Amino acid sequence: MNIYDASVPVFVHFLGSLSKILKKAEDHCAAKKIDPAVLLSQRLYPDMYPVLRQVQIASDSAKGACARLAGVDVPSFPDEEKTFPELQARIQKTIDFVTSIPREKFAGAEEREIHIKAGPRELHFNGVSLLETWSQPNFYFHLTTAYAIFRHNGVELGKPDFLAG
Amino acid sequence: MNIYDASVPVFVHFLGSLSKILKKAEDHCAAKKIDPAVLLSQRLYPDMYPVLRQVQIASDSAKGACARLAGVDVPSFPDEEKTFPELQARIQKTIDFVTSIPREKFAGAEEREIHIKAGPRELHFNGVSLLETWSQPNFYFHLTTAYAIFRHNGVELGKPDFLAG
């Protein structure tokens, strides 16, 4: 087991799931004459993020994890998406970035010291703890919350859409 | 990076999060005079599982993953819980089981062939693909959905409750 195989291809697989979930949500809007901007602004509680932002943060979790494990700069993707096609482009840009990092850059990533600013706190990880207790859980949290918001709003999704890649 | 460290302690950490989330949900019921059975029966859509079942499946994902990686029988936990204390006991039983498996049993788990019945299909994995593309995603899916249902119903939770273990 190595940290490249546990990160890049796994994020790519589940970014693929997210892309297909978004496609079904977009098709749902067309079929039901729902304004896509309205569906993308839905949230489960007033102080939670809307589904559009959940997608952006899932992207951030994936690109942040892979960049930090590889010891390269985390690219900044401005959070300017407003539509399904723009979110699809964000996902593709994320996949393009993480797959552009040479596998060799992940050598020694398991023990790499990684520091993350989280609000007022600075968090300290090595590569394994970053991936397993921070990046992957955060990524699945936002992917699942996006799925949950769409399901709550009647988009016909099932667990295979989440798992299939 | 080895598959024991990527599975048992990670599941234990996030089962700890689930336990604390349930405690906050139970306290919320007491403070707001909500029947705990009513809160535990909430769901995000009529054909989704209620939060009580989400907790049981998160438990199943963790125990199933660790047992299969170690090549030991998956213990059957009857889905008979109805209350917060019973769900807490289920989580503790899950933690007790996964931590009872000797670390040595995970030797070679990366390449172990694992077959899972999923409805009419049989799925084929090795240890790494089981953990990374099935068990962990499923575990986080149900943990996050439990969190989302509680949040949607007004329980005051934040991301730290999900991440803190």
Side-chain angles (χ1 to χ4, degrees), chain A residues 79-114:
Chain A
D79 294 321
E80 293 169 346
E81 295 84 6
K82 291 192 168 56
T83 67
F84 281 107
E86 287 167 0
L87 288 175
Q88 293 287 2
R90 168 78 172 247
I91 292 171
Q92 189 56 53
K93 194 165 60 164
T94 309
I95 292 173
D96 290 347
F97 167 68
V98 302
T99 55
S100 75
I101 308 171
R103 190 185 178 100
E104 309 84 77
K105 291 269 190 190
F106 288 73
E110 289 83 354
E111 299 303 325
R112 195 188 302 280
E113 284 186 25
I114 297 166

Side-chain angles (χ1 to χ4, degrees), chain A residues 30-149:
Chain A
K32 303 287 182 182
K33 304 196 192 312
I34 292 168
D35 180 348
V38 172
L39 183 58
L40 287 172
S41 71
Q42 295 303 300
R43 49 186 106 210
L44 293 174
Y45 205 70
D47 66 352
M48 287 179 78
Y49 286 126
V51 65
L52 184 142
R53 184 85 188 105
Q54 304 287 347
V55 175
Q56 291 168 332
I57 304 177
S59 155
D60 286 342
S61 300
K63 73 178 165 64
C66 297
R68 291 187 175 100
L69 291 173
V72 303
D73 288 342
V74 182
S76 175
F77 292 174
D79 294 321
E80 293 169 346
E81 295 84 6
K82 291 192 168 56
T83 67
F84 281 107
E86 287 167 0
L87 288 175
Q88 293 287 2
R90 168 78 172 247
I91 292 171
Q92 189 56 53
K93 194 165 60 164
T94 309
I95 292 173
D96 290 347
F97 167 68
V98 302
T99 55
S100 75
I101 308 171
R103 190 185 178 100
E104 309 84 77
K105 291 269 190 190
F106 288 73
E110 289 83 354
E111 299 303 325
R112 195 188 302 280
E113 284 186 25
I114 297 166
H115 309 289
I116 291 188
K117 282 274 198 192
R121 295 184 305 154
E122 186 169 76
L123 305 174
H124 306 281
F125 300 96
N126 65 24
V128 174
S129 67
L130 178 86
L131 183 64
E132 296 289 338
T133 68
W134 181 262
S135 303
Q136 279 190 342
N138 269 315
F139 175 76
Y140 289 121
F141 180 93
H142 294 286
L143 169 56
T144 303
T145 304
Y147 174 102
I149 295 170

Side-chain angles (χ1 to χ4, degrees), chain A residues 8-28:
Chain A
V8 174
V10 177
F11 286 121
V12 169
H13 179 97
F14 286 94
L15 287 166
S17 296
L18 181 55
S19 171
K20 285 169 194 150
I21 288 167
L22 285 168
K23 179 68 172 64
K24 286 201 174 179
E26 186 179 16
D27 291 348
H28 179 84

